[in-house]
Amino acid sequence: MRIGVPTEVLDHEGRVGLTPASVQELVGDGAAVVVQAGAGVASGLTDDDYAAAGATLTDDPAEAWAADLVVKVKEPVGSEYGFLRSDQVLFTYLHLAADRPLTERLLEAGTTAIAYETVQSDDGRLPLLAPMSQIAGRMAGIVGANLLDATRGGTGVLMGGIAGVAPAEVVVLGAGVAGTGAATFAHGLHASVTVFDKHIPALRRLDDAFGPGVRTLAATGQAIEEAVLRADLVVGTVLVPGAHAPQLVSRELVEAMRPGAALVDISIDQGGCFEVSRPTTHSDPTFTAGGSTVYAVANMPAAFPRTSTFALTSLTLPYVRALAGDGGWRAACAADPVLAEGLNTHDGAVLHAGVAEAHDLPPAEDHDRYRRGPQ
């Protein structure tokens, strides 16, 4: 089995699909690993580190993409579409529900694409999305606090206020991993925090953790609207695995917010949960909507690549080893239904219902056969 690790090409994307320690494990299993030169530099991982771990280094991205199994962090972009093939397994974040061009290209190429973000356990947990959601959630507090700076067009409200002056009003939509991270960080900055979710057990967990320090409210349209109109900062974190994120804040509501308010859309990878949202980059992270500033960077954790790379690869490595083992992806998915949920495309067909629904495409009827072992 040849495993390829290309250098990421998105704006300021310094994460890398495998660490040298991961490479050493895979080489020990008998795999050949090809790493594009410079792939790990932004994460503090040198080419010499990879060579010492047993990887073959290449300056040519085509050589890394020529592998049987390609392990990345972010979805392929237009300049990489030509590397996609039918005899290739791609293991990375894909977020296809918000990316029709990539979905179509994967189907045209016949690529077997397994998405980190839809690898899902029976209890609904998303083990490979969780660490990036934690990082993005915590980042939302940092980003939001800075956006409230009046010199950046913000409301001029200090997140934690001071004695005798009210703190910022922070609204978090979603009480999952990212929402919990955002609420925790904002609470730590002494902001006034309100979290919305339809899933009462998730709200109960926050209530148990923070008590009255964080308000938890059942998500209804009216309640969200009232809170958003009072908010200095709104953080959107709502996620439906594999599907387009629900839009919970309309354009009209954004335009009615107080001047200088800020919105951070962590859900932008899946299309965003604010109607005004569109993907931005670390080089140009914000835009204005009404009188508000919107931050919708699609690869937020790339701002902290070393932390993100180590957090991610510690969880992906067991799956990479399984995919590179005897029987390849078919045997790996048949043996592990959690991994099988990650299958998004294969042989020109969509295998994930959420992706199919997002693009009005017919889902494959035989997804479950990959749980039953090689045919």
Side-chain angles (χ1 to χ4, degrees):
M1 171 71 73
R2 284 175 59 83
I3 302 171
V5 183
T7 298
E8 300 293 328
V9 298
L10 282 179
D11 178 71
H12 283 79
E13 183 52 77
R15 292 173 289 179
V16 60
L18 294 174
T19 62
S22 299
V23 169
Q24 187 173 41
E25 294 289 325
L26 293 163
V27 170
D29 290 344
V33 183
V34 180
V35 177
Q36 186 178 346
V41 170
S43 293
L45 304 169
T46 69
D47 291 346
D48 288 343
D49 293 332
Y50 283 102
T56 298
L57 276 295
T58 179
D59 291 320
D60 186 357
E63 290 188 31
W65 278 94
D68 307 299
L69 169 62
V70 175
V71 181
K72 292 179 84 274
V73 176
K74 288 300 289 178
E75 68 277 358
V77 297
S79 62
E80 298 172 304
Y81 285 2
F83 296 131
L84 299 172
R85 313 185 316 274
S86 62
D87 60 344
Q88 172 192 77
V89 177
L90 175 63
F91 192 37
T92 188
Y93 289 116
L94 287 171
H95 300 290
L96 294 183
D99 196 337
R100 178 78 183 214
L102 176 57
T103 303
E104 292 177 345
R105 185 65 187 110
L106 288 168
L107 296 179
E108 291 168 5
T111 305
T112 299
I114 303 174
Y116 293 161
E117 75 275 5
T118 63
V119 172
Q120 185 174 9
S121 59
D122 288 341
D123 62 1
R125 296 181 184 273
L126 304 169
L128 303 187
L129 187 62
M132 298 305 99
S133 295
Q134 283 183 302
I135 292 169
R138 295 183 182 192
M139 281 183 64
I142 300 171
V143 169
N146 288 326
L147 292 178
L148 295 184
D149 184 335
T151 65
R152 302 186 182 194
T155 58
V157 177
L158 185 67
M159 280 283 274
I162 61 168
V165 182
E169 289 286 343
V170 177
V171 171
V172 180
L173 303 177
V177 175
T180 297
T184 300
F185 209 93
H187 175 70
L189 293 175
H190 302 292
S192 174
V193 183
T194 302
V195 181
F196 287 93
D197 204 297
K198 290 184 175 181
H199 189 55
I200 300 303
L203 295 177
R204 188 173 295 120
R205 286 193 293 271
L206 280 174
D207 187 69
D208 289 342
F210 298 105
V214 172
R215 287 187 296 277
T216 58
L217 296 177
T220 65
Q222 180 179 351
I224 290 172
E225 179 176 344
E226 291 173 353
V228 167
L229 290 174
R230 294 192 304 267
D232 295 288
L233 169 64
V234 181
V235 181
T237 74
V238 179
L239 172 72
V240 179
H244 198 292
Q247 292 187 342
L248 301 181
V249 178
S250 68
R251 182 178 302 275
E252 290 75 18
L253 183 53
V254 171
E255 292 174 349
M257 291 176 68
R258 63 175 60 179
L263 300 98
V264 177
D265 198 342
I266 294 175
S267 300
I268 191 63
D269 273 336
Q270 293 292 133
C273 59
F274 309 139
E275 187 180 2
V276 299
S277 290
R278 57 177 172 79
T280 61
T281 66
H282 285 289
S283 294
D284 188 14
T286 64
F287 61 91
T288 58
S292 300
T293 300
V294 182
Y295 176 101
V297 174
N299 59 333
M300 287 179 68
F304 300 94
R306 186 170 178 87
T307 296
S308 298
T309 289
F310 279 87
L312 177 62
T313 58
S314 66
L315 296 172
T316 57
L317 178 59
Y319 294 108
V320 175
R321 296 182 78 171
L323 291 167
D326 292 341
W329 71 271
R330 292 178 181 273
C333 289
D336 186 353
V338 176
L339 177 61
E341 288 298 320
L343 281 166
N344 277 212
T345 68
H346 168 65
D347 195 25
V350 175
L351 298 183
H352 193 282
V355 175
E357 181 179 355
H359 299 302
D360 195 24
L361 294 170
E365 297 178 356
D366 57 353
H367 176 272
D368 284 344
R369 76 186 177 93
Y370 298 113
R371 296 171 178 265
R372 299 196 298 268
Q375 304 296 304

